[in-house]
Amino acid sequence: MTLSERIARVDDWLIDQLFQPLADRLPERLTALHLGLSCQLGALMLDGLSLVLPMLLFGATLGNMIDSTLIWCISLAFFLGMKRSAPLVRPGMLNPLRPLLRAMRLLSLAFLLYQFFRGMGAPGIVWLVTQLTTISQVLFTVGLYLVACQPRPPYRRMSTRGGPVIEGVWGAGGRLNNT
């Protein structure tokens, strides 16, 4: 087994064993797709906060933080693209976003590990900003995995009354007139 197959197997295990059972236990009105998109929106907000805090605390200008600003804009574009692709995920059908976003999920895991280790050695007040970025990356990764979960099949509706469901001609024993 090659390294890429092992990495793909880890990704499948995370979805099937960790996130899919969580998605199956969500309330009926809250789907895994909507929760995943909410996590990604929260990650975008926290990332924006970690972008604004150095400007407020240290007097950094937007020019000093142009790389972080561009990354935030790319994250915003990715979120808007995910929001537009949400109608592709339908109950009772395979989730097309699962294979489509595999590379993005794996990259987000790698960046999560990087951000975690980067944030551990941050000095003083910078530690707060790096922890906000780490929490943002955790939310983004969780959101990607929730978006990749299979939607629940639609529930069957049961008749609330007893007796035959279809009335009319069949109630008369096959005769059109009751005479």
Side-chain angles (χ1 to χ4, degrees):
M1 183 182 304
T2 64
L3 179 63
S4 62
E5 290 172 347
R6 287 184 184 151
I7 292 172
R9 186 174 272 181
V10 167
D11 181 57
D12 289 338
W13 182 86
L14 281 172
I15 292 174
D16 294 335
Q17 301 298 321
L18 191 64
F19 288 99
Q20 188 64 49
L22 175 73
D24 292 340
R25 287 180 178 81
L26 288 174
E28 182 181 341
R29 299 181 75 195
L30 179 66
T31 64
L33 176 71
H34 290 108
L35 184 61
L37 288 174
S38 295
C39 286
Q40 287 183 348
L41 180 62
L44 195 61
M45 301 285 234
L46 281 176
D47 205 21
L49 180 63
S50 68
L51 180 67
V52 170
L53 275 180
M55 292 179 195
L56 296 176
L57 297 176
F58 307 122
T61 64
L62 194 60
N64 295 345
M65 306 206 46
I66 193 70
D67 57 340
S68 299
T69 306
L70 290 174
I71 291 171
W72 188 84
C73 290
I74 290 171
S75 298
L76 177 64
F78 181 78
F79 172 74
L80 293 175
M82 287 297 300
K83 190 91 168 141
R84 289 193 61 152
S85 64
L88 294 174
V89 180
R90 294 181 300 223
M93 306 288 283
L94 290 176
N95 189 346
L97 299 180
R98 182 173 176 162
L100 184 69
L101 296 175
R102 179 183 299 251
M104 192 65 182
R105 288 190 306 269
L106 295 174
L107 281 173
S108 71
L109 280 175
F111 280 119
L112 176 62
L113 291 173
Y114 167 73
Q115 188 62 37
F116 177 72
F117 286 117
R118 181 178 162 225
M120 286 176 46
I125 193 74
V126 177
W127 182 82
L128 174 69
V129 175
T130 57
Q131 293 310 310
L132 282 175
T133 307
T134 302
I135 293 170
S136 168
Q137 188 65 34
V138 167
L139 278 175
F140 182 77
T141 304
V142 167
L144 276 177
Y145 275 96
L146 285 172
V147 164
C149 290
Q150 284 298 121
R152 286 182 296 225
Y155 289 103
R156 290 186 185 177
R157 287 193 244 163
M158 302 298 285
S159 175
T160 56
R161 61 182 191 155
V165 177
I166 300 174
E167 296 177 352
V169 177
W170 293 273
R175 293 178 303 229
L176 292 175
N177 296 330
N178 277 340
T179 57

